[in-house]
Amino acid sequence: MDNDGTAANSTIPTDVDEYVNLAAYAVSGISCAGVVLIVLVLVAVARAGTGTRTRIDATVVHMLVITCVYGITMAFVNIQWTMDEDVITGDGLQTPLGLFLLLGGYFLVLLLFACNLRLALERLSLVCHSVPLQLTTVFCIMASPLPFLATLTASFCISTSANWVFWPLALPQRAPKIANILFLFGLLYIPLSCLCVAISYFHLYRTSVYAFAAARHDAAAPSTATPTPSIAGDTFSLHSHTRTTASSHLAYQLQSSQQMRKQERIVFVRCAVMSTGLVLLYLPTTAVVFCLVVRNLRNDAAQEYPDGSLWIYLVMNLLPGLDIVYTPALVLAFQPGFREACLQLWVEVCWVVKGRRNSRVLART
């Protein structure tokens, strides 16, 4: 902020810049905390050797690494913004660092969405077909953002400046119509991938419900071996139990029905949380950016800032930053192997600290 009360970036109104600065301070702290948490998880997983046991574990590790790099970049950009550095301004496209940060933000975001899509399809493949995805399919999923990233790069290259307010979802400013059209096409990857993830988890939930229903139906026949679905790590598995007497059959039927309903609720909660996280954290800001560019196309004028309450700038900047904490928290909640590795690391650290403390006490005595 300059001495006369105007924003360092003259294209941003003073009141808007104050709210963006407030969000930048908050996101910087959130990003640093998220990066520390992710590093601790990765260290624990590396020590325990649980990061490469399955394809899902490997996918989660890749997602954590990308999120860590994304968090470091997020912290750097927001700190630069609070310091009013010239690299984070409308003229940032004219500097190599500014262009790198602008496109790097989109590259990391699209890569995160591709990783989440890969994770959803890996789980769906294991549940429906009991086999992991083929490597060619994995390659196609991870390469799917490239055409959209190319159009985003082209849109910024033919623009004179950029609007950094909603970084990492920055948008071209004072750009020709073709640049805005290319930008809108590139931005479509975010809602499309969210839709694919939601459909995948919905299909996974529906498949599990069918399996539970079939198990409940089979439980009505006594003295038969009924496969009972149960949660096992990320997915569910079928375990066979044999009943011999009528009384034991009735008792088992009641217990099995209650357990399966509980498992259904667990599967539903997991699918809902994993499919709505991206929607809640990224789609609001994406919708605002999309509407701004569409309005710019219709008015054929320089980029304006959205009207209405100023809280929109605070919320829309906070939401993408929360993903840096949300992703490792979700991993610890739904990946038992990762959670156990972190607990093991915590116990080892506590033992080391306690041992050093005891040695100091003995040394004094």
Side-chain angles (χ1 to χ4, degrees):
M1 196 75 63
D2 294 335
N3 295 331
D4 59 355
T6 60
N9 185 352
S10 59
T11 62
I12 303 178
T14 303
D15 50 358
V16 172
D17 187 63
E18 292 176 355
Y19 274 80
V20 175
N21 280 337
L22 181 61
Y25 284 116
V27 172
S28 298
I30 293 172
S31 301
C32 293
V35 168
V36 171
L37 179 59
I38 292 173
V39 170
L40 290 176
V41 173
L42 292 175
V43 170
V45 169
R47 285 175 58 87
T50 59
T52 56
R53 290 181 179 177
T54 64
R55 287 276 291 275
I56 287 183
D57 290 340
T59 304
V60 171
V61 169
H62 296 161
M63 188 168 59
L64 287 174
V65 172
I66 296 171
T67 306
C68 185
V69 177
Y70 175 52
I72 294 172
T73 310
M74 176 80 76
F76 176 78
V77 170
N78 281 277
I79 291 173
Q80 290 284 314
W81 180 279
T82 58
M83 296 172 61
D84 289 333
E85 294 293 334
D86 293 337
V87 67
I88 313 297
T89 64
D91 298 329
L93 288 177
Q94 300 176 3
T95 63
L97 179 59
L99 184 60
F100 175 78
L101 292 174
L102 195 92
L103 298 178
Y106 272 107
F107 174 75
L108 292 172
V109 169
L110 298 188
L111 201 58
L112 278 176
F113 276 86
C115 239
N116 277 277
L117 179 58
R118 173 188 168 186
L119 190 60
L121 294 177
E122 285 278 12
R123 288 175 169 137
L124 183 62
S125 178
L126 288 175
V127 169
C128 296
H129 308 292
S130 300
V131 293
L133 291 175
Q134 296 182 356
L135 291 179
T136 53
T137 305
V138 173
F139 176 80
C140 292
I141 294 172
M142 298 307 296
S144 60
L146 293 180
F148 298 89
L149 183 64
T151 58
L152 289 170
T153 303
S155 67
F156 285 110
C157 288
I158 60 179
S159 302
T160 57
S161 62
N163 184 345
W164 290 75
V165 170
F166 298 110
W167 192 94
L169 303 180
L171 57 154
Q173 194 172 22
R174 295 192 298 272
K177 283 188 176 182
I178 184 62
N180 290 321
I181 293 174
L182 290 173
F183 176 82
L184 292 177
F185 177 80
L187 202 65
L188 283 177
Y189 184 81
I190 293 178
L192 288 177
S193 60
C194 284
L195 180 62
C196 293
V197 169
I199 292 174
S200 299
Y201 282 119
F202 174 76
H203 187 48
L204 188 152
Y205 172 68
R206 192 174 65 171
T207 302
S208 65
V209 168
Y210 287 159
F212 288 129
R216 282 197 297 267
H217 176 74
D218 293 340
S223 301
T224 58
T226 302
T228 303
S230 62
I231 297 297
D234 267 333
T235 60
F236 65 89
S237 60
L238 299 178
H239 300 285
S240 180
H241 301 271
T242 303
R243 300 167 306 285
T244 56
T245 65
S247 58
S248 63
H249 165 66
L250 292 176
Y252 178 82
Q253 184 178 357
L254 178 61
Q255 181 183 5
S256 178
S257 178
Q258 293 174 347
Q259 289 178 348
M260 282 185 284
R261 286 192 175 91
K262 181 180 178 181
Q263 300 288 4
E264 282 185 16
R265 289 194 294 269
I266 293 175
V267 172
F268 174 77
V269 170
R270 288 188 175 189
C271 292
V273 171
M274 288 185 289
S275 59
T276 57
L278 293 176
V279 174
L280 295 177
L281 294 179
Y282 287 96
L283 276 192
T285 307
T286 303
V288 171
V289 171
F290 196 91
C291 292
L292 284 173
V293 177
V294 170
R295 188 176 65 175
N296 189 32
L297 274 173
R298 295 179 61 183
N299 295 340
D300 195 18
Q303 179 64 56
E304 299 176 358
Y305 291 85
D307 302 324
S309 301
L310 293 174
W311 60 265
I312 190 174
Y313 299 97
L314 180 63
V315 175
M316 296 305 132
N317 279 277
L318 279 175
L319 288 178
L322 292 175
D323 186 34
I324 303 167
V325 176
Y326 176 81
T327 295
L330 199 65
V331 168
L332 292 177
F334 293 153
Q335 292 289 126
F338 286 56
R339 185 169 61 249
E340 292 171 1
C342 291
L343 291 176
Q344 182 180 353
L345 178 62
W346 173 256
V347 171
E348 292 177 359
V349 171
C350 290
W351 274 106
V352 170
V353 172
K354 185 178 179 180
R356 290 183 178 180
R357 186 180 301 173
N358 292 337
S359 62
R360 290 177 182 175
V361 172
L362 292 174
R364 291 177 183 176
T365 57

